[in-house]
Amino acid sequence: MAFDDLSNTGLSLGLFSQLEQPKKQQYFQLHHHTKKAIFSPDQLTNLSLALCSDQVTSKNGLSFFARKVHGEFESGTVLNRQASSISVVSSISSSVKRDRDASNYEDVKITIVNQMKPNISGMSHSEETGSGEGVMKIKSVYNSKATSHDDREIEEEEGGARKKLRLTKQQSLILEDNFKEHITLNPKQKQALAKQLNLRARQVEVWFQNRRARTKLKQTEVDCELLKKFCKTLTDENRKLQKEVQELKALKRAAPPFYKQLPAVTLSICPSCERAGEPALRQQTSSKFCK
DNA sequence: TGATCAGAATCACTTACCTCA
DNA sequence: TATGAGGTAAGTGATTCTGAT
């Protein structure tokens, strides 16, 4: 796909109006990931934990940020994502600003430094951030409301290797507190929290995402331990029962059961009433039994 | 009314940076 | 000082859901 075409399909999408969009999401649904061929069988059956569901109302004026341009580009070809979703364009490399929550940006433009490199997704970090041929830079142009933090980050990202953000203890504490209250945030909460922490909404979102993943991982470990214990209990129980069976078998061999010592009794069916009974008894009661 | 599409939200997995033993 | 492990912020590619057409 030629780059001009790319911008036509997605990147020159400008302002979007605010939308009221009720969202209902089931979090941590039990589901299978059966689609990606690259998954191992274990991964295919990887289950999420069913925790809760929540009604989220999102009023996040679309803030349609160029989210995903990815895949192998070859001139004149299409993106490797479904053609229907190509309009969403984003991070080709770490130099791409990605902030779909920044509803205050005015437009997203692309600056092409050089020709696109085939197989961008396979580029190494140094290749991505280098300044050599074939490197494409995408720059998000925010409106005047963009925070200084954003500007700083753009500078940093353009400058070289990606700098890892370290949250302060205070920030982590506040995030943790919020997580205790709700494990997901609606856009309003996200924005508010981001403002409070002097972070971008995307960073808050990522933190919650990673936090949920950590919670799930821990829960999985706990579940695993419980299952191990349960398994051990069952094994012990099974061993006990096996032992009991052995003992009973030994007893049986030693002395035949008492019912085998009783005289044999023949049961027969009365042709008129079709009831079973011992003949001697039936003879005594036949006047009542078979009328 | 059902089909289709776009966009948002979220996920699992991965990468890369940073700290610390 | 070098190094490997572990923690975690961020990137990537996918699915699901919902509203609009």
Side-chain angles (χ1 to χ4, degrees):
Chain A
M1 168 182 274
F3 208 78
D4 286 339
D5 296 334
L6 190 69
S7 62
N8 287 337
T9 56
L11 288 181
S12 60
L13 292 164
L15 288 169
F16 284 85
S17 56
Q18 296 274 322
L19 285 182
E20 279 289 338
Q21 188 177 42
K23 288 278 182 187
K24 190 178 180 181
Q25 293 276 348
Q26 283 269 325
Y27 299 110
F28 297 105
Q29 286 172 323
L30 278 165
H31 65 276
H32 291 260
H33 282 263
T34 56
K35 287 86 183 176
K36 287 191 206 170
I38 56 169
F39 282 155
S40 67
D42 283 347
Q43 287 170 321
L44 289 174
T45 52
N46 184 22
L47 298 177
S48 297
L49 295 170
L51 288 183
C52 63
S53 63
D54 196 6
Q55 180 85 24
V56 179
T57 304
S58 72
K59 187 191 177 183
N60 53 340
L62 271 180
S63 64
F64 181 85
F65 182 73
R67 187 159 176 259
K68 287 190 193 302
V69 170
H70 61 80
E72 289 103 28
F73 288 93
E74 291 171 25
S75 56
T77 65
V78 294
L79 304 171
N80 75 349
R81 189 77 184 265
Q82 309 110 288
S84 62
S85 304
I86 287 174
S87 56
V88 189
V89 180
S90 118
S91 46
I92 284 175
S93 71
S94 57
S95 67
V96 178
K97 286 292 292 177
R98 182 188 180 195
D99 192 348
R100 60 174 181 246
D101 303 297
S103 53
N104 55 352
Y105 75 88
E106 198 165 356
D107 203 353
V108 179
K109 292 178 183 173
I110 280 184
T111 306
I112 308 169
V113 173
N114 252 319
Q115 289 243 318
M116 290 177 74
K117 194 171 187 165
N119 194 2
I120 286 167
S121 60
M123 286 159 62
S124 69
H125 186 71
S126 57
E127 285 170 328
E128 289 170 24
T129 53
S131 57
E133 259 192 20
V135 176
M136 181 186 69
K137 276 194 180 178
I138 295 182
K139 189 175 178 179
S140 307
V141 181
Y142 292 83
N143 67 6
S144 56
K145 285 181 186 174
T147 64
S148 56
H149 182 94
D150 292 336
D151 298 335
R152 217 170 42 235
E153 187 153 314
I154 288 170
E155 280 171 28
E156 279 174 8
E157 286 177 352
E158 282 178 345
R162 110 178 166 204
K163 193 87 176 158
K164 182 155 183 151
L165 166 81
R166 297 297 299 186
L167 296 169
T168 65
K169 277 192 176 177
Q170 189 64 22
Q171 283 173 322
S172 297
L173 222 74
I174 293 170
L175 284 164
E176 281 291 346
D177 284 347
N178 276 269
F179 187 80
K180 277 176 197 164
E181 283 181 36
H182 24 61
I183 62 167
T184 53
L185 296 174
N186 65 36
K188 269 188 179 175
Q189 291 171 320
K190 203 189 299 171
Q191 285 289 350
L193 194 52
K195 196 176 175 186
Q196 182 188 356
L197 298 171
N198 195 28
L199 294 171
R200 284 181 293 123
R202 169 69 186 158
Q203 288 175 307
V204 173
E205 179 186 304
V206 164
W207 187 90
F208 268 75
Q209 231 168 58
N210 287 321
R211 187 65 181 77
R212 283 194 294 270
R214 284 195 288 275
T215 301
K216 190 182 171 185
L217 189 66
K218 276 193 177 169
Q219 186 58 50
T220 305
E221 283 169 7
V222 169
D223 288 349
C224 191
E225 282 306 308
L226 281 174
L227 280 172
K228 273 184 191 169
K229 279 183 186 169
F230 185 56
C231 186
K232 191 180 178 302
T233 309
L234 281 177
T235 307
D236 291 348
E237 182 79 6
N238 190 37
R239 209 167 283 144
K240 264 187 200 170
L241 290 169
Q242 297 262 14
K243 200 181 168 188
E244 252 179 68
V245 168
Q246 293 300 323
E247 284 171 3
L248 286 170
K249 277 182 179 172
L251 260 178
K252 187 184 167 187
R253 274 195 297 272
F258 79 100
Y259 62 81
K260 283 201 173 174
Q261 297 166 14
L262 294 175
V265 174
T266 310
L267 294 178
S268 59
I269 304 291
C270 171
S272 57
C273 68
E274 292 187 343
R275 286 186 183 172
E278 191 254 313
L281 178 69
R282 246 203 352 264
Q283 276 172 4
Q284 287 171 11
T285 58
S286 60
S287 57
K288 292 177 187 173
F289 200 68
C290 303
K291 274 197 173 171

